Amino acid sequence: MTFVSFDPSSGRVLAHHACLSEDRLEQRLHQAYQAAQAWQHEAPSERAALLYRLASALSAGRERMARELCLETGTLLKDCLREVERCAEECAHFAANGQAMLPAARSQVSQRPLGLMLALTAGPAPLWQCVRLLAPALMAGNGLLLKPAEHLSRLVELLARLMTEAEVPEGLITPLRISKEQVAGVVADARIGGLAYSGERQGGAIMAALAGGRLKPVILELAEADLQLILDDADLEPAVESVLNGCFRYRASWRQSEGGVLITPGLAEAFLERLGERLASLRSGRPDDSDTELGPLAKSGQREWLERQLREAERQGGRIRCGGYLPDEEGWYYPATLIEGQDPATTLFPAWPAGPVSSVLRVADEHGMQALCRSMSPDGIASIWTRDLARGEQLARSLPFDLCRVNPNPYHNSHWPPQSSPDQRLPLKRFSRSKTVLVSA
């Protein structure tokens, strides 16, 4: 198998990389297992020192790494710069606070490392997805095999250089280019003590099944539902800005989850007209151009798939207000698209396809919104827009989602990855096993 890296802005091939042979994969596994065994005996202060070195290497190489990410993912350069910054911040956070998260050395209950872990990532901000697993895993005393998404083969080289620059012990963090079949073999290997996956829900279900078949602990960070509910008395501009930031800032080329916009009739036409104007004004272009507001899609074939989905929605009665056509130009671009309708099938709801698409579903009232939301995963976020706070709170309490916000900051999603609060970071306990020692007289 050969991994091919493309430039999404032109469709040009950047590089070919061979899949690891079984012999070389075994060598990497052996080396990684030995490194992980040694690392779990290092003092927390040594683990913190390594994370500080990683933070320094990320900060020093910020411009170079961001441009590499921009070239391979099609993500806007300013967002890639922010991604590298967030990775440095994450490493520094666990370096500064990780020791306090671990029990005292002579405590009756201690946290022991899982050992060598396999982590797969397949979501937006690919470097960030790796680092947010890597930092707590290292601080907890684990080694890590990292497998990014298959279309990001150059990211493997970036990660390998980062480990060298930060003087990470050889084998402790090992980026891999392996096939899906090889992943199953690695999961089954007795040297793998735990698994982690960050990405869409379908991939998470496959990883959970593999882990369950081997009774191995697994950490799942899955794409969440993201829904905007707009009532008749909402303030128009904040609601429009929130949809723009949620649908089109950064994640337009990656997102594949559940979500969309539900709106009651009184404000629907004004909202659609204003959102359509804003979308039509977005500047499309190369992601490394500072004036670009909408870059290309991340993967080959993605826009053809999106085109088929939109044509089917139109056949069902959906109305495209702007965009919604396959452009005749090089690269994997697709215009900002707004589709609306009065039936879920006409707007692709609740599916939220990867691409610069906003689907707006007209709903009669709050009861209709509640009924539609009950079929969705509770692992998600709902943003409710209304001037009547009591009405908004009542609707929020009736929805199944883990987080419901009434009139949130409309710029909350303008940067991705967002700034993490302490409760949003992965706790070290998820990368550890509890061990209890009881001494009787």
Side-chain angles (χ1 to χ4, degrees):
M1 178 179 179
T2 300
F3 296 99
V4 183
S5 176
F6 291 90
D7 175 0
S9 64
S10 66
R12 179 174 59 89
V13 174
L14 297 174
H16 292 86
H17 298 101
C19 180
L20 281 178
S21 67
E22 293 299 328
D23 288 343
R24 292 186 64 191
L25 176 57
E26 171 55 32
Q27 292 172 6
R28 300 281 180 91
L29 270 170
H30 177 75
Q31 185 180 54
Y33 181 72
Q34 296 298 321
Q37 291 296 103
W39 183 249
Q40 65 182 322
H41 299 295
E42 292 287 351
S45 59
E46 290 299 318
R47 300 174 192 173
L50 175 53
L51 285 172
Y52 275 129
R53 293 201 301 273
L54 276 168
S56 296
L58 284 160
S59 296
R62 172 176 173 267
E63 295 280 346
R64 170 179 53 81
M65 293 181 197
R67 288 195 175 276
E68 289 185 42
L69 289 170
C70 171
L71 183 62
E72 188 171 40
T73 66
T75 303
L76 300 187
L77 179 59
K78 62 182 180 182
D79 291 318
C80 291
L81 289 167
R82 175 63 179 160
E83 178 182 348
V84 179
E85 289 172 5
R86 283 291 295 112
C87 291
E89 291 167 7
E90 196 76 356
C91 290
H93 170 83
F94 280 99
N97 301 288
Q99 190 164 352
M101 301 175 190
L102 297 169
R106 296 186 63 83
S107 171
Q108 288 183 326
V109 180
S110 62
Q111 298 296 326
R112 305 296 300 162
L114 294 175
L116 179 60
M117 299 183 67
L118 171 65
L120 281 72
T121 62
L127 181 61
W128 160 248
Q129 297 288 357
C130 291
V131 170
R132 74 185 303 263
L133 295 173
L134 175 157
L138 283 178
M139 195 65 218
N142 299 296
L144 204 61
L145 301 171
L146 282 171
K147 184 198 178 302
E150 291 183 358
H151 68 287
L152 299 178
S153 62
R154 281 162 56 96
L155 179 61
V156 172
E157 293 179 346
L158 187 155
L159 289 166
R161 286 198 306 270
L162 174 62
M163 301 310 139
T164 300
E165 292 164 2
E167 300 177 8
V168 175
E170 191 171 3
L172 184 59
I173 301 294
T174 306
L176 297 174
R177 291 190 191 96
I178 56 176
S179 66
K180 294 177 181 178
E181 293 75 20
Q182 288 175 306
V183 167
V186 173
V187 170
D189 195 290
R191 291 167 289 189
I192 301 299
L195 309 167
Y197 174 85
S198 179
E200 61 189 62
R201 303 183 73 83
Q202 182 179 1
I206 295 172
M207 178 58 79
L210 289 172
R214 298 291 172 174
L215 297 180
K216 294 185 178 183
V218 59
I219 299 166
L220 298 176
E221 289 293 303
L222 305 179
E224 298 180 332
D226 191 348
L227 200 62
Q228 305 273 347
L229 291 83
I230 304 172
L231 304 183
D232 289 352
D233 62 346
D235 286 325
L236 183 61
E237 287 302 325
V240 169
E241 193 65 40
S242 181
V243 171
L244 275 171
N245 286 319
C247 299
F248 295 92
R249 304 288 193 240
Y250 185 87
R251 286 176 288 176
S253 65
W254 282 86
R255 183 195 65 245
Q256 191 163 5
S257 59
E258 293 183 327
V261 180
L262 304 181
I263 191 166
T264 49
L267 194 63
E269 198 56 41
F271 174 84
L272 287 162
E273 184 174 343
R274 180 60 180 144
L275 180 59
E277 291 172 355
R278 294 289 301 275
L279 295 182
S281 69
L282 291 178
R283 293 185 296 273
S284 177
R286 287 190 56 84
D288 55 353
D289 186 332
S290 61
D291 291 330
T292 297
E293 296 175 292
L294 190 65
L297 298 175
K299 292 185 284 186
S300 173
Q302 198 171 346
R303 64 177 189 166
E304 287 78 10
W305 180 88
L306 179 58
E307 175 77 2
R308 291 195 298 271
Q309 297 296 305
L310 289 171
R311 297 290 78 80
E312 175 59 22
E314 272 192 312
R315 192 184 69 79
Q316 296 283 347
R319 179 188 176 195
I320 292 180
R321 304 280 295 235
C322 71
Y325 61 90
L326 196 61
D328 184 18
E329 59 181 298
E330 69 173 13
W332 303 335
Y333 293 93
Y334 202 85
T337 298
L338 175 59
I339 184 170
E340 58 119 341
Q342 300 185 22
D343 181 85
T346 66
T347 64
L348 307 178
F349 185 88
W352 200 359
V357 176
S358 179
S359 60
V360 179
L361 181 58
R362 298 179 187 241
V363 183
D365 52 28
E366 289 99 315
H367 297 296
M369 291 179 171
Q370 293 167 13
L372 287 167
C373 291
R374 289 193 195 104
S375 65
M376 299 175 67
S377 167
D379 301 326
I381 300 172
S383 299
I384 300 167
W385 299 93
T386 175
R387 292 193 183 114
D388 186 338
L389 297 184
R391 182 187 184 192
E393 181 180 354
Q394 183 178 8
L395 177 57
R397 292 188 181 279
S398 71
L399 298 176
F401 306 113
D402 293 337
L403 175 60
C404 296
R405 308 173 299 186
V406 180
N407 299 335
N409 178 356
Y411 297 95
H412 174 75
N413 287 327
S414 59
H415 295 292
W416 185 266
Q419 185 69 36
S420 295
S421 60
D423 62 330
Q424 291 175 316
R425 287 189 165 101
L426 294 170
L428 295 192
K429 287 185 177 181
R430 295 183 67 181
F431 295 83
S432 311
R433 297 179 186 274
S434 293
K435 179 176 181 178
T436 303
V437 177
L438 299 176
V439 181
S440 301

